Amino acid sequence: MVLRNKNENNQNLTPDMAGYRPSREWWPDLTDYRKAMLLHHISYDEIDALLKEYAEINSDNKAIVCEFLYTCLPDEPSWVYVEFPNFDNAPHYLNLWNYQNLLVWMSQKADQGFCLAIPRDQRKPLFLSIMDGKNPHGDSCVGIYADRDFYFEIPGDIFEWGPVPTSAFNYVGFLKETFQFDTQWIPGVSKCEWRKTQITLTVPE
């Protein structure tokens, strides 16, 4: 996983080139994915408070009521699994923007965290993103989708592709090495008791 390409001129780039910035309609569509945030060393009360604070800072026109479910992983309770809901009647790029913005927002309290979206159709690629550790402003993410690097900047609504890969990305190995996280812990959430926070977000019409 690499950081953004510094090429700011998108006009001379094609979608297969590093630095290409697609319009938001062509951002990854995760509608049919199970979207999770995995947060380390954060309490349920902190999650509840952060979600409510996040809702309060939104000031757009269209209100969306949504529920966030979360639970500790039974095999490693220091990690909390937060289920990110799909926003009804909202375009996929608004879901993606809030998904990444909430990772930035929740990372205020968690000492580690990442987003992992798993497709319901196994033929589709995984989605993984983490905080951009080299950004001193803490308002961007880097990640992998379809085995290809991307950079996502929250304030500028910038999604930027990295280079086309020469080999498949090892998601399991990356999470193990970077976060000491074992993906085999995730299925255990099916046996857990979930907490719930309902908030009202506002999005553009």
Side-chain angles (χ1 to χ4, degrees), residues 36-52:
M37 278 183 288
L38 281 304
L39 304 170
H40 194 242
H41 284 155
I42 188 171
S43 70
Y44 289 159
D45 287 344
E46 287 171 327
I47 291 173
D48 180 75
L50 284 168
L51 287 171
K52 291 174 179 176

Side-chain angles (χ1 to χ4, degrees), residues 54-119:
Y54 184 77
E56 290 173 357
I57 64 174
N58 281 261
S59 59
D60 285 305
N61 301 322
K62 183 178 179 180
I64 297 175
V65 178
C66 50
E67 290 184 349
F68 288 82
L69 302 174
Y70 43 96
T71 188
C72 289
L73 296 181
D75 296 316
E76 187 51 66
S78 62
W79 283 96
V80 179
Y81 181 108
V82 181
E83 186 88 8
F84 183 92
N86 274 325
F87 301 158
D88 293 334
N89 302 316
H92 74 273
Y93 50 80
L94 286 180
N95 278 270
L96 180 65
W97 188 90
N98 280 279
Y99 187 32
Q100 298 308 280
N101 197 21
L102 270 168
L103 175 63
V104 170
W105 183 256
M106 306 291 261
S107 294
Q108 297 178 67
K109 296 295 183 180
D111 62 4
Q112 297 185 92
F114 60 92
C115 288
L116 181 64
I118 301 173

Side-chain angles (χ1 to χ4, degrees), residues 29-40:
D29 186 348
L30 305 180
T31 304
D32 294 327
Y33 282 60
R34 186 171 184 181
K35 297 183 287 294
M37 278 183 288
L38 281 304
L39 304 170
H40 194 242

Side-chain angles (χ1 to χ4, degrees), residues 72-75 184-192:
C72 289
L73 296 181
D75 296 316
Q184 293 185 12
W185 295 337
I186 294 177
V189 299
S190 63
K191 301 176 288 185
C192 292

